[in-house]
Amino acid sequence: MKATTKIFGCIADPINHVKAPSLFTSEFVRRNIDAIMIPINTSKENLKDVIAGLRKIRNFCGLTVTIPHKIDIIKYCDKVELEANQTGAVNWVKFNNNMLIGNNFDGLGFIAGLKKSNIVLSNKSICIFGAGGSGMAISFALLKYNIKELKIVNRDKVKAEKLVKRLQNFFPAARIKIEELNDPDISDSDIIINATSIGLKGNEGIPFKLIKTKKNCIIADIIMDPEETLLIKEAKRLKKQVHLGKYMLENQIDLVGKYFQLW
Ligand code: NDP
C-alpha cells in the first residue's frame, strides 16, 4: 500500500460472509492496480453518518453494498443509473468528486456469468425462485434478453406480485407468471435459478423438486457459501448442467472495473 492508494469499501451488516474485499483486493494486486477494498461493518442506524464521513475522504473511490443497506443507500446517492432505478436497489456506489452515483451490477453480473458459460437466453423459458433483492435484479436483467417466458416463485406471494408489477412497468410485452410455492409448474423451464437464501450455510435445503424438471433443464444457483449447495449437488447427481453462484460475483469484477475505469 502507498500514500496514493485508492480506497474502496464493502459495506454490510453482518460482515462475516462477505467475499468482495478479498476478491477485489486480490484482483487489484493481480492487475497491478494501486487500490484496496476494506470491509466496513455498520448498522442501518449509522449508515447515513458513515456515508457522510466517506464523502469527505478524498481518496475514497467506491463502495460495494450488501445486506441490509442495498435499498436504504439510494437516498444518500446524488444520482442512480438505470439498473439501480429499475430495481430500487444499489450494490455499487461511485464516489466521483463528491457526487455519489448508485448502480446495480447483480443482474448484469449473473447474466455475464451465464454468457461466459455459453448459456443462451433468447427464446428460453426461465423460472426464478426468489423475489428478494437478487431475484429482482436478475429478473430485470433476464428480460433484456428476449426470453420466451419468466416464471417467478416466492414464499411471500405479495412480494412476487409487486415484482411482476414493477417488471411489467418496464417491460409491458414480457410474458411473466407467478407460480405457487407449494406446487410450481417447472416442467417446461429450460433454466431454473435459485435466487433465495435456501442453500446458504445455516439455511440448508432444496427450494424445488428436481424430479419435476425436464431432462436438459439447466440449474443455476446464486448461493456462494457453500460453493456447491445441496441443489447443485443433487442436480449434478441427476447429470444436469449446473451454474454456480460464484460466477455471479466473479463476473461483476470485470463490469465494475470498467465502470470505475480501473481496467
Ligand atoms: P433477500 O433477503 O433480498 O431475499 C431473500 C430471498 O430468499 C427472498 O425471496 C425470500 O423469500 C427467500 N427465502 C429466504 N429464506 C427462505 C425460506 N426458508 N423459504 C423460502 N424462501 C426463502 O436476499 P438477496 O436476494 O439479496 O440474496 C439472496 C441470496 O443470494 C443470499 O443468501 C446471498 O447469499 C445470495 N447472493 C449471492 C450473490 C452472488 O454474487 N452470488 C449476490 C447477492 C446475494 P421471502 O420474500 O418470502 O422472504
Side-chain angles (χ1 to χ4, degrees), residues 12-13 41-49 67-72 75-76:
D13 190 28
N41 184 200
T42 196
S43 65
K44 268 175 168 268
E45 294 69 40
N46 288 328
L47 183 66
K48 184 179 177 188
D49 292 343
I67 291 171
H69 304 304
K70 283 186 183 180
I71 293 170
D72 293 347
K75 49 181 182 275
Y76 309 121

Coordinates of all heavy atoms in Angstrom, one line a residue, residues 12-13 41-49 67-72 75-76:
A12 N -21.6 -3.7 4.9 CA -22.5 -4.8 5.2 C -22.8 -4.9 6.7 O -22.0 -4.4 7.5 CB -22.0 -6.1 4.7
D13 N -23.9 -5.6 7.1 CA -24.1 -6.0 8.4 C -25.0 -7.2 8.5 O -26.2 -7.0 8.2 CB -24.7 -4.8 9.2 CG -24.8 -5.0 10.7 OD1 -23.9 -5.8 11.2 OD2 -25.7 -4.5 11.3
N41 N -18.2 -2.6 8.4 CA -19.4 -3.1 9.1 C -20.1 -2.0 9.9 O -19.6 -1.5 10.9 CB -18.8 -4.2 10.1 CG -20.0 -4.9 10.8 OD1 -19.7 -5.5 11.9 ND2 -21.2 -4.9 10.3
T42 N -21.3 -1.7 9.3 CA -22.1 -0.6 10.0 C -23.6 -1.0 10.0 O -24.0 -1.7 9.1 CB -21.8 0.7 9.4 OG1 -22.3 1.7 10.3 CG2 -22.5 0.9 8.1
S43 N -24.3 -0.5 11.0 CA -25.7 -0.8 11.2 C -26.5 0.1 10.3 O -26.0 1.1 9.8 CB -26.1 -0.6 12.6 OG -26.0 0.7 13.0
K44 N -27.8 -0.3 10.1 CA -28.7 0.6 9.4 C -28.8 2.0 10.0 O -28.8 3.0 9.3 CB -30.1 0.0 9.4 CG -30.5 -1.0 8.3 CD -31.8 -1.6 8.6 CE -32.4 -2.4 7.4 NZ -33.2 -1.6 6.5
E45 N -28.8 2.0 11.3 CA -29.0 3.3 12.0 C -27.8 4.3 11.7 O -28.0 5.5 11.7 CB -29.0 3.1 13.5 CG -30.2 2.4 14.1 CD -30.2 0.9 13.7 OE1 -29.2 0.2 13.7 OE2 -31.3 0.4 13.3
N46 N -26.6 3.7 11.5 CA -25.4 4.6 11.3 C -25.1 4.8 9.8 O -24.1 5.5 9.6 CB -24.2 4.0 12.1 CG -24.4 4.1 13.6 OD1 -25.0 5.1 14.0 ND2 -23.9 3.1 14.3
L47 N -25.8 4.2 8.9 CA -25.5 4.3 7.5 C -25.3 5.7 7.0 O -24.3 6.1 6.4 CB -26.5 3.6 6.7 CG -26.2 3.5 5.2 CD1 -25.0 2.6 4.9 CD2 -27.4 3.0 4.4
K48 N -26.3 6.6 7.4 CA -26.2 8.0 7.0 C -24.9 8.7 7.4 O -24.3 9.3 6.5 CB -27.4 8.7 7.6 CG -27.6 10.1 7.1 CD -28.8 10.8 7.8 CE -28.9 12.2 7.3 NZ -29.9 13.0 8.0
D49 N -24.6 8.5 8.6 CA -23.3 9.2 9.1 C -22.1 8.6 8.5 O -21.1 9.3 8.2 CB -23.2 9.0 10.7 CG -24.3 9.8 11.4 OD1 -24.9 10.7 10.8 OD2 -24.6 9.5 12.6
I67 N -26.3 -6.7 2.1 CA -27.4 -6.7 3.1 C -26.9 -6.0 4.4 O -25.8 -6.3 4.8 CB -27.7 -8.2 3.4 CG1 -28.5 -8.8 2.2 CG2 -28.6 -8.4 4.7 CD1 -28.7 -10.3 2.3
P68 N -27.7 -5.1 5.0 CA -29.1 -4.8 4.7 C -29.2 -3.4 4.1 O -30.3 -2.8 4.2 CB -29.7 -4.7 6.1 CG -28.6 -4.1 7.0 CD -27.3 -4.6 6.3
H69 N -28.2 -2.9 3.4 CA -28.1 -1.5 3.0 C -28.5 -1.2 1.6 O -28.6 0.0 1.2 CB -26.7 -0.9 3.2 CG -26.2 -1.1 4.6 ND1 -26.9 -0.6 5.7 CD2 -25.1 -1.7 5.1 CE1 -26.2 -0.9 6.8 NE2 -25.2 -1.6 6.5
K70 N -28.8 -2.2 0.8 CA -29.0 -2.0 -0.7 C -30.1 -1.0 -1.1 O -30.0 -0.4 -2.1 CB -29.2 -3.3 -1.4 CG -28.0 -4.2 -1.6 CD -28.3 -5.4 -2.4 CE -27.1 -6.3 -2.5 NZ -27.4 -7.5 -3.3
I71 N -31.1 -1.0 -0.3 CA -32.3 -0.1 -0.6 C -32.1 1.2 0.1 O -32.2 2.3 -0.5 CB -33.6 -0.8 -0.2 CG1 -33.8 -2.0 -1.0 CG2 -34.8 0.2 -0.3 CD1 -35.0 -2.9 -0.6
D72 N -31.7 1.2 1.4 CA -31.6 2.5 2.1 C -30.5 3.4 1.5 O -30.7 4.6 1.6 CB -31.2 2.1 3.6 CG -32.3 1.4 4.3 OD1 -33.4 1.4 3.8 OD2 -32.0 0.9 5.4
K75 N -31.1 6.7 -0.9 CA -31.4 8.1 -0.5 C -30.2 8.9 -0.2 O -30.3 10.1 -0.2 CB -32.4 8.1 0.7 CG -32.2 7.3 1.9 CD -33.3 7.5 2.9 CE -33.1 6.7 4.1 NZ -33.6 5.4 4.1
Y76 N -29.0 8.3 -0.2 CA -27.8 9.1 0.0 C -27.0 9.2 -1.3 O -26.0 9.8 -1.3 CB -26.9 8.4 1.1 CG -27.7 8.1 2.4 CD1 -27.8 6.8 2.9 CD2 -28.4 9.2 3.0 CE1 -28.6 6.6 4.0 CE2 -29.2 8.9 4.2 CZ -29.3 7.6 4.6 OH -30.0 7.4 5.8

